[in-house]
Amino acid sequence: DTEVTQTPKHLVMGMTNKKSLKCEQHMGHRAMYWYKQKAKKPPELMFVYSYEKLSINESVPSRFSPECPNSSLLNLHLHALQPEDSALYLCASSQRRGVESGELFFGEGSRLTVL
Amino acid sequence: RKEVEQDPGPFNVPEGATVAFNCTYSNSASQSFFWYRQDCRKEPKLLMSVYSSGNEDGRFTAQLNRASQYISLLIRDSKLSDSATYLCVVNVRSSASKIIFGSGTRLSIRP
């Protein structure tokens, strides 16, 4: 079982809805990530938080808004999404950022469908 | 040019075969390298790190060639359970560390 927990596992929303994805880890990791994965494609980096501060935003549209309330929690707020935003959203954590931080622990993902 | 490139496959090999995947990376600032495995509709999981001297974990051997900027993964005596997508992952340390995934190589082991 993964030690990174994501909720909800599945989400269907309309283009005018506001929803949030949640991610939690209790491994004491200080770096947390959001990735987006479309079918048959690799995960694409969206955001990186390091010590609860946003350190990387990969030019993600503002309809995706990340939030890191504390070192264990990471949220992704969704507003006015488009159907092409439908994908698997993966949260990951690592012990720290830096050279050795490629060891990512992923949650099972939240599968989002935008109608 | 993509930062991390892999042969997408699919590789379809019989059980017991040896199979090798390659991955190339374009950014010479890349500092650490990994192979991940992703089963269908599951999250990626770390298979092994790749060290400069090469490393082995059971049936799996990883190699790194910094001069040519490629990484390889060799699977010996393949099992049905090895069927998955194998993702090459590179940590690029430029202005900030970025962990980049290759597009993945699909492997299917047949009985």
Side-chain angles (χ1 to χ4, degrees):
Chain A
D1 286 342
T2 181
E3 295 183 73
V4 177
T5 305
Q6 287 188 244
T7 55
K9 287 195 173 10
H10 299 275
L11 178 62
V12 179
M13 60 186 290
M15 289 191 282
T16 57
N17 291 158
K18 282 186 184 181
K19 297 284 184 184
S20 297
L21 306 181
K22 297 185 185 303
C23 175
E24 190 167 2
Q25 57 88 12
H26 294 290
M27 295 180 280
H29 289 174
R30 302 315 299 268
M32 294 185 77
Y33 310 75
W34 280 114
Y35 281 84
K36 172 183 176 178
Q37 188 174 27
K38 302 278 266 185
K40 298 189 190 305
K41 298 285 187 184
E44 281 179 46
L45 183 63
M46 299 175 73
F47 302 105
V48 181
Y49 274 82
S50 178
Y51 293 87
E52 294 113 71
K53 289 189 178 1
L54 182 64
S55 57
I56 294 179
N57 175 343
E58 288 288 277
S59 303
V60 179
S62 60
R63 58 186 185 268
F64 295 91
S65 173
E67 179 197 18
C68 189
N70 61 55
S71 59
S72 300
L73 292 174
L74 185 66
N75 298 323
L76 186 63
H77 302 298
L78 315 170
H79 174 54
L81 295 194
Q82 305 295 311
E84 60 264 29
D85 296 322
S86 298
L88 181 68
Y89 288 84
L90 290 160
C91 173
S93 69
S94 67
Q95 193 166 13
R96 60 190 181 281
R97 282 189 57 236
V99 172
E100 297 305 318
S101 63
E103 184 167 0
L104 298 173
F105 293 78
F106 281 90
E108 293 182 345
S110 292
R111 194 165 295 280
L112 173 67
T113 303
V114 182
L115 301 177
Chain B
R1 185 184 169 188
K2 289 183 186 174
E3 288 196 77
V4 182
E5 292 204 64
Q6 293 182 248
D7 181 341
F11 285 60
N12 188 322
V13 302
E15 199 172 3
T18 294
V19 61
F21 310 135
N22 286 329
C23 167
T24 57
Y25 60 96
S26 59
N27 193 327
S28 57
S30 301
Q31 294 208 329
S32 49
F33 310 90
F34 307 84
W35 284 102
Y36 277 71
R37 169 196 170 125
Q38 186 170 25
D39 293 295
C40 189
R41 300 184 74 81
K42 295 282 193 180
E43 74 276 18
K45 291 187 177 173
L46 179 68
L47 178 66
M48 59 196 302
S49 302
V50 186
Y51 302 121
S52 297
S53 52
N55 49 301
E56 192 172 306
D57 182 2
R59 298 181 292 109
F60 299 85
T61 301
Q63 300 264 345
L64 167 63
N65 184 320
R66 284 190 186 271
S68 303
Q69 296 188 189
Y70 82 78
I71 307 141
S72 65
L73 177 68
L74 182 79
I75 305 176
R76 289 182 299 278
D77 187 24
S78 52
K79 311 289 184 196
L80 295 175
S81 55
D82 294 333
S83 297
T85 295
Y86 290 83
L87 298 155
C88 172
V89 177
V90 172
N91 185 337
V92 179
R93 189 157 190 185
S94 48
S95 56
S97 287
K98 284 172 53 173
I99 299 170
I100 308 294
F101 282 75
S103 54
T105 299
R106 286 175 53 211
L107 173 65
S108 179
I109 308 296
R110 62 180 187 270

